[in-house]
Amino acid sequence: MTGQHRPRRDGYDPRTGRDPRRATEDTPAMYRHEPVGLHTRLSLNRMGTFDWDLDSGRMILDSGALAVFDLRADEYDGRPQSLSARVPADEGRRMDAALAQALQDGSSSYGVYFRVRCRGGALRWTHTQGRILHDGSGLPYRIIGIVREATGELADSALLRSRQQERQRQTVMVQHATAALARALSVEDVTRVLADTEGAQRFGADALLLGLVTEGRFEVITTAGLAGEVPEGMTHSWVDDTLPLSHVVRSRRPTFLSTRGELIARYPRLRRYAEMLPAGSSAFLPLVAQDTVIGSLGLFNAEPSVQSAEARNLALALAGVVAQSLQRATLFDQEREFATQLQATMLPRGVPSITGGELIVRYHPASVGRDIGGDWYDVIPLPQGQTGLVVGDVQGHDTHAAAVMGQLRIALRAYASEGHTPETVLVRASRFLAELETERFATCTYIQADLESGALHVARAGHLGPLISDSSRHIDWPEIPGGLPLGLATVFGHDHFPETQLFLEPGSTLLLCTDGLVEQPGQDISAGIDALSEAVRPAELETLADQLSDQLWAEPGSEDDMALLLLHRLPGPGPATTPRLRLHIHQADPAGTAQVRSALRRTLDQWRAGAVTHDVEVAATELIVNALTHTESGALVCVELLPGTPRRIRLEVEDRSSQWPRRRSPGETATSGRGLMLVEALADRWGAEPRGSGKALWCEFDVPDAGDGAEKRDTADAPGAPHAPGSEPGR
């Protein structure tokens, strides 16, 4: 009908001045002047009504409401649960939450937008508005309302909102991908970022493939999200056009495909691998760095789609980030390989075999980035069948630290090979480092070991001391006086490194390490020392070294390098050795007695000596003081746990004086002369015996069984306790 034939009438006519487009009426039975009822009017406007009886649970939907839900009359049985076929679960929960809130608040109405899944699977927006009726007591009993299609109403706002959400999603995606790759220093780090649980999601995909070009061939180096293991036919190929990743490398142009079928049609070689590829869209992007194609990235999605121009530009931008990260990582790997080779050439290629013992070393470079350190170890053959053991650490984690380490190691080895004492070796090494053109300092522990006697002469320069584990798994960290780090000691004029003598009993193991084994970021080093003490177990030396490396260094992923040296003294022929502690005290060392007391307390606590500990400690103090005061030599202290019942602790203090002890009877006001009287009163048995170039005073203490509260018997004159000929021991 045109405007010329339109009936004249008064009032507003929306057709006036317009040329409406002709359309086919979908309700042809409706006549021009036929009266239209309310339900028909609502239905024509994609609306319907419902009446919900809360007491019976029945909900009546008119034909318009059924049309909104895309239901036929025979598909709805009057129960609200029947709508679940059209209302997704999450939308239903949102509707229930809105109604529950209205009921809780006592409201008389509620409204909510939700989506309905139509018969063909498409989702469309719907709106419901309900009036809640209450009875005389205020309880709700009925809801009467309407439902209407709201797709057109929400189209503009939903489109705007979806675009905003998409921009936000893309921004977050770029931020997450850039942040994750910024921390990747090596090619292995880059592949770890791409292959982790969020790898493909960072690029807005469900799966990905990453490959690099190496000497004219293409190799896939990481995958994520694909169904099953990628076959070799897809991971290795020539750079040609038979596979999408190698094709984009050759053409330098990206490829975007909408479905898996389109992908296989373009690259028939993939047909045999179709089951493992996602069914949706895919993108294959060349990785270009400094105008060179170094590889390509494949992104796969589960849902088919045609990528928009904005999505394609985002994918290309992310591919550029990956390319730059890979190029940077390749340079890092090259530098790290050079530094690692430099460091490896400066460490011993092997360790010499030693008579009477086993020796195992472990070294691991830093596990993060290109950092290398100055940790080193060395095993040095010395004159008279002795062995020098060295573990040290040069300050810093770079090639300069490795270079300084190499020079210092060679210098220290030369000084030790000349047969100098440990203190002299460290003094000379400190002066050597101070004269180098470097500001680096170094920590170090040097041990001169004689496995025939078990004597260990130890000097320490700001480094961890040794750990000793005996055959019964008693762990001890002897107190070793030390000096300043090498280099600093000379600069500050304190290049003095006291020498301490220890003894390694047959069947015992000595451990030297750098702080990379016991120090973790954010933790106190004492916690690492405790963990190391707990981890040392009786085992084959190779097994123990591997366990310590795996448990304390490799598993936590330490960022520091680590050097570990284990020396085991083989047990000699004959019966098994008994637990023993041997310490040497210099004659001019005023702190030696206190250090022995501390070592005794730790050892006796491990032996569960109980109340006897105090008696042994007092007796040891008196005998040591006598040796240091009345002789011109130091003292050798030996404490041994003897087997049998009851258990016995034997204490010996040996000196090099040939003068035999003399009994004294001090007066009431005398300030000395009571030491051996105390020993006599505290020990169960005691005596003196010659020892080659000197003598030894000894005493024994019975160790009561656990829970035995009986006081120790006074057995100073017990039968069988030998005494020095002619008089009681005393000075």
Side-chain angles (χ1 to χ4, degrees):
M1 177 183 296
T2 64
Q4 296 177 346
H5 300 92
R6 187 177 301 143
R8 301 178 61 88
R9 60 180 182 174
D10 297 332
Y12 170 71
D13 187 347
R15 299 171 296 180
T16 303
R18 298 179 175 86
D19 188 12
R21 182 177 178 179
R22 298 180 182 272
T24 302
E25 178 58 58
D26 57 0
T27 55
M30 191 72 63
Y31 297 102
R32 182 185 299 271
H33 301 295
E34 176 184 352
V36 179
L38 175 61
H39 288 288
T40 304
R41 296 179 188 182
L42 294 176
S43 178
L44 288 173
N45 288 279
R46 303 294 180 94
M47 299 176 64
T49 66
F50 68 89
D51 189 343
W52 190 358
D53 187 337
L54 301 181
D55 294 332
S56 65
R58 304 289 295 178
M59 177 188 289
I60 300 174
L61 299 179
D62 66 4
S63 58
L66 290 173
V68 170
F69 284 104
D70 198 12
L71 288 171
R72 295 189 297 267
D74 59 351
E75 294 176 329
Y76 179 66
D77 60 3
R79 296 182 305 113
Q81 294 87 337
S82 301
L83 299 178
S84 61
R86 291 289 180 263
V87 180
D90 53 345
E91 300 293 325
R93 286 191 291 270
R94 197 151 54 83
M95 294 173 63
D96 290 342
L99 176 57
Q101 186 65 45
L103 295 174
Q104 182 177 346
D105 297 341
S107 301
S108 60
S109 64
Y110 74 97
V112 62
Y113 286 92
F114 63 98
R115 287 180 297 180
V116 170
R117 187 177 299 279
C118 298
R119 194 177 304 277
L123 291 172
R124 69 184 181 195
W125 282 102
T126 305
H127 179 258
T128 182
Q129 183 74 33
R131 179 71 163 83
I132 304 174
L133 303 180
H134 299 79
D135 59 17
S137 62
L139 293 176
Y141 69 92
R142 188 176 181 184
I143 301 176
I144 300 175
I146 62 169
V147 290
R148 61 188 179 86
E149 185 180 333
T151 300
E153 175 186 335
L154 298 180
D156 293 338
S157 60
L159 178 60
L160 178 61
R161 185 165 56 251
S162 65
R163 288 179 176 176
Q164 292 175 342
Q165 292 174 348
E166 179 63 16
R167 283 194 293 269
Q168 292 175 354
R169 186 186 70 85
Q170 293 176 352
T171 301
V172 171
M173 189 189 311
V174 172
Q175 290 175 344
H176 287 181
T178 304
L181 291 171
R183 296 188 293 270
L185 297 181
S186 64
V187 173
E188 183 180 356
D189 293 337
V190 174
T191 59
R192 189 182 301 116
V193 169
L194 297 181
D196 66 15
T197 55
E198 299 180 357
Q201 297 176 9
R202 294 190 182 99
F203 298 88
D206 297 309
L208 63 78
L209 287 171
L210 173 68
L212 296 180
V213 178
T214 305
E215 298 179 353
R217 288 185 62 85
F218 184 82
E219 179 182 358
V220 174
I221 62 172
T222 188
T223 65
L226 295 178
E229 185 177 354
V230 180
E232 187 175 355
M234 288 181 60
T235 59
H236 297 80
S237 67
W238 295 105
V239 179
D240 54 24
D241 57 1
T242 61
L243 290 175
L245 288 175
S246 60
H247 182 204
V248 298
V249 168
R250 183 179 182 181
S251 66
R252 301 174 65 99
R253 298 172 61 85
T255 298
F256 298 93
L257 302 170
S258 301
T259 64
R260 180 172 61 189
E262 186 178 349
L263 171 63
I264 294 175
R266 178 80 65 90
Y267 303 98
R269 185 176 168 184
L270 291 176
R271 188 176 304 278
R272 71 180 69 175
Y273 313 122
E275 294 301 324
M276 68 176 303
L277 297 174
S281 60
S282 55
F284 301 95
L285 314 164
L287 302 178
V288 183
Q290 293 185 343
D291 200 33
T292 300
V293 182
I294 61 175
S296 58
L297 176 67
L299 302 176
F300 301 88
N301 290 285
E303 298 294 332
S305 66
V306 177
Q307 293 99 323
S308 64
E310 188 176 14
R312 295 186 179 193
N313 291 333
L314 174 64
L316 291 172
L318 291 174
V321 173
V322 174
Q324 294 177 12
S325 298
L326 283 171
Q327 183 189 41
R328 182 182 67 246
T330 301
L331 294 176
F332 270 114
D333 285 343
Q334 292 172 351
E335 292 182 18
R336 179 177 174 80
E337 182 180 3
F338 167 75
T340 302
Q341 290 177 352
L342 172 64
Q343 188 177 32
T345 59
M346 295 183 178
L347 290 171
R349 294 189 177 183
V351 294
S353 58
I354 55 177
T355 303
E358 292 181 286
L359 191 62
I360 294 294
V361 296
R362 289 289 184 271
Y363 177 80
H364 294 288
S367 61
V368 176
R370 63 180 176 181
D371 287 350
I372 64 170
D375 288 20
W376 90 94
Y377 64 88
D378 207 349
V379 180
I380 309 168
L382 300 179
Q384 300 178 352
Q386 297 184 344
T387 304
L389 308 175
V390 186
V391 166
D393 183 7
V394 175
Q395 175 199 15
H397 294 84
D398 50 27
T399 54
H400 184 57
V404 172
M405 175 270 289
Q407 297 177 76
L408 181 60
R409 171 184 165 259
I410 294 172
L412 194 148
R413 185 181 183 90
Y415 300 143
S417 298
E418 294 174 354
H420 297 295
T421 64
E423 179 178 11
T424 302
V425 170
L426 292 190
V427 168
R428 294 194 175 190
S430 180
R431 293 175 181 175
F432 172 83
L433 184 57
E435 293 172 359
L436 287 179
E437 295 182 357
T438 179
E439 297 180 353
R440 306 297 176 92
F441 61 84
T443 64
C444 176
T445 293
Y446 173 61
I447 298 179
Q448 190 179 82
D450 182 357
L451 290 186
E452 183 177 354
S453 65
L456 305 173
H457 296 269
V458 186
R460 188 170 64 85
H463 199 80
L464 290 172
L467 175 150
I468 296 179
S469 172
D470 64 20
S471 56
S472 300
R473 206 242 161 213
H474 293 136
I475 305 298
D476 186 33
W477 290 88
E479 293 185 8
I480 309 295
L484 294 175
L486 303 180
L488 289 181
T490 302
V491 171
F492 291 119
H494 296 290
D495 48 356
H496 172 59
F497 306 96
E499 181 181 316
T500 301
Q501 184 176 2
L502 304 174
F503 288 88
L504 188 66
E505 299 297 332
S508 298
T509 300
L510 176 138
L511 180 150
L512 285 175
C513 68
T514 56
D515 56 7
L517 189 65
V518 296
E519 193 172 28
Q520 293 292 334
Q523 294 185 5
D524 190 90
I525 193 172
S526 61
I529 291 175
D530 293 340
L532 176 58
S533 302
E534 183 66 25
V536 174
R537 294 282 190 275
E540 294 292 333
L541 217 57
E542 288 274 2
T543 303
L544 178 59
D546 292 337
Q547 289 175 348
L548 294 178
S549 298
D550 295 340
Q551 180 177 344
L552 300 181
W553 185 86
E555 185 175 328
S558 175
E559 298 180 3
D560 201 359
D561 45 353
M562 180 275 290
L564 169 67
L565 186 151
L566 292 171
L567 172 65
H568 179 71
R569 186 183 179 194
L570 297 175
T577 59
T578 57
R580 182 184 302 173
L581 170 68
R582 299 181 72 185
L583 298 171
H584 182 267
I585 304 174
H586 290 277
Q587 203 276 337
D589 183 7
T593 303
Q595 294 169 1
V596 169
R597 291 170 66 104
S598 176
L600 275 175
R601 282 193 294 270
R602 293 196 306 271
T603 301
L604 295 177
D605 180 64
Q606 292 177 344
W607 293 350
R608 294 176 175 83
V612 177
T613 300
H614 177 265
D615 296 345
V616 178
E617 186 179 341
V618 173
T621 301
E622 296 300 330
L623 294 180
I624 292 170
V625 169
N626 279 350
L628 298 181
T629 302
H630 298 286
T631 71
E632 298 298 326
S633 67
L636 177 61
V637 181
C638 178
V639 183
E640 186 175 8
L641 180 62
L642 302 178
T645 304
R647 295 184 304 156
R648 292 174 296 150
I649 292 176
R650 182 181 177 90
L651 167 67
E652 293 183 358
V653 178
E654 182 179 343
D655 60 53
R656 295 187 178 182
S657 172
S658 59
Q659 182 181 359
W660 206 252
R662 181 175 55 87
R663 177 68 179 245
R664 301 174 59 186
S665 300
E668 293 184 0
T669 60
T671 58
S672 63
R674 298 184 178 86
L676 292 180
M677 295 177 63
L678 285 173
V679 173
E680 182 179 8
L682 295 173
D684 291 290
R685 56 194 65 85
W686 56 280
E689 58 187 42
R691 290 288 176 86
S693 61
K695 63 182 179 301
L697 294 181
W698 62 269
C699 50
E700 293 182 354
F701 303 81
D702 292 341
V703 181
D705 294 335
D708 186 359
E711 296 184 358
K712 183 169 60 68
R713 294 179 294 109
D714 183 8
T715 57
D717 297 318
H723 300 281
S727 67
E728 298 289 329
R731 292 196 178 103

